Amino acid sequence: MTERISKEVVEKLMHAPSACKEAVQAGERYLEAVGTPEEEAARKALVEELKEDVTDIDGLIAFASSPAGEAVFGKEGAEATRKAAEAAKAGGEHYCICDACQAGAEILREAGEV
């Protein structure tokens, strides 16, 4: 059996305001399946969902620099997000700095995927 993903980090993902509905649902299914015969399948489903969802830091920088990012964050928010992402990248961060991506990346590390 593969190692379990920690409950705390899954809950962190599920409570992140930026987490998408599918990631939250995959987290819920995983936590419900822990200790049951369905655990491994739920774990794999969570990992696959997060492989699709977790954005790398360059993706965040590009998004925050785009008209779509400005539409989501507002002009000042997009600029602040871009600057924060660039600072995080300069500090060695590889993933988006939102709570959902940070928790998702932690789960992927625990699962041996990154």
Side-chain angles (χ1 to χ4, degrees):
M1 181 171 122
T2 339
E3 282 201 37
R4 286 193 178 140
I5 298 166
S6 72
K7 177 183 177 184
E8 294 77 21
V9 73
V10 174
E11 288 175 342
K12 188 179 352 176
L13 168 72
M14 293 168 49
H15 292 103
S18 52
C20 70
K21 174 181 69 170
E22 295 82 6
V24 171
Q25 290 171 341
E28 288 171 346
R29 283 191 298 274
Y30 173 74
L31 292 179
E32 290 169 1
V34 170
T36 73
E38 292 79 33
E39 180 176 353
E40 187 58 26
R43 181 185 186 284
K44 287 180 182 178
L46 175 59
V47 167
E48 289 306 311
E49 178 63 36
L50 294 176
K51 284 181 179 179
E52 293 178 21
D53 294 350
V54 175
T55 301
D56 65 27
I57 195 72
D58 289 325
L60 174 60
I61 292 168
F63 180 69
S65 301
S66 73
E70 195 171 299
V72 169
F73 298 122
K75 186 173 179 73
E76 290 177 9
E79 179 69 13
T81 300
R82 182 189 58 77
K83 286 180 179 179
E86 288 172 344
K89 181 178 179 179
E93 182 58 60
H94 298 284
Y95 298 100
C96 171
I97 55 178
C98 80
D99 293 340
C101 285
Q102 287 291 299
E106 190 173 340
I107 291 168
L108 291 174
R109 281 191 291 277
E110 283 188 14
E113 295 293 328
V114 292

